[in-house]
Amino acid sequence: MSKTTVSESPGKKELRQFGFIFAAGLVLFFGLIIPWLAEYPWPRWPWIAAGVFVVLALVYPLALRPLNWLWLKIGHALGWINTRIILGLVFFVIVFPTGLLMRIMRKDPMARKQDASMSSYRVQSQQSPREQLERPF
């Protein structure tokens, strides 16, 4: 995993925003959505924790720095994992079957077959008519 570092630590404004967003996320997910979907009673702890985060964000945002650092590390790790999963899926679902199908159909759009009788593999470009350049679409 590559080491991406941020040269400067977050300021009070960024930490304050982080506190508000984190509090809203706690209330939204753990206080409203999950209990509603799972049909559980509404818990109090997300509201209390969100209140603590809002108070910290307003009064002393520098106290949120360790949590912000941890949250960014978790985000980087999840981004690294998700990138591999998504690119792997794109390769095995789109690129690999397309290449396999083209091999079965013996298509070679890049004209990679070697021909010893040819002096050059250069393909002359076609000159576009002037009208096409004036109104391309």
Side-chain angles (χ1 to χ4, degrees):
M1 186 162 41
S2 68
K3 303 263 181 181
T4 306
T5 58
V6 179
S7 61
E8 59 184 68
S9 61
K12 288 184 179 181
K13 180 181 177 185
E14 289 86 9
L15 290 171
R16 191 168 283 128
Q17 288 175 347
F18 168 74
F20 293 148
I21 292 171
F22 202 81
L26 275 175
V27 167
L28 185 68
F29 290 113
F30 294 108
L32 297 174
I33 294 176
I34 291 176
W36 177 61
L37 291 177
E39 297 180 3
Y40 289 133
W42 305 100
R44 288 188 197 143
W45 71 266
W47 299 90
I48 295 169
V52 169
F53 279 108
V54 168
V55 168
L56 280 175
L58 290 172
V59 177
Y60 187 58
L62 295 177
L64 298 174
R65 185 176 282 160
L67 184 62
N68 185 21
W69 177 84
L70 179 66
W71 189 255
L72 289 177
K73 290 296 180 186
I74 291 170
H76 283 310
L78 290 176
W80 186 85
I81 293 167
N82 284 340
T83 301
R84 270 84 184 153
I85 292 171
I86 291 169
L87 289 177
L89 283 173
V90 166
F91 178 78
F92 286 111
V93 172
I94 297 172
V95 176
F96 180 71
T98 303
L100 195 62
L101 186 65
M102 290 183 76
R103 277 188 183 234
I104 291 171
M105 296 173 54
R106 297 184 185 263
K107 297 282 184 181
D108 189 17
M110 290 177 27
R112 293 174 294 174
K113 292 181 182 176
Q114 293 186 358
D115 188 3
S117 65
M118 293 178 67
S119 62
S120 173
Y121 290 102
R122 183 170 184 255
V123 178
Q124 292 286 341
S125 63
Q126 300 293 326
Q127 183 70 24
S128 298
R130 187 177 192 127
E131 295 81 25
Q132 184 181 358
L133 297 175
E134 289 175 2
R135 295 189 60 161
F137 301 106

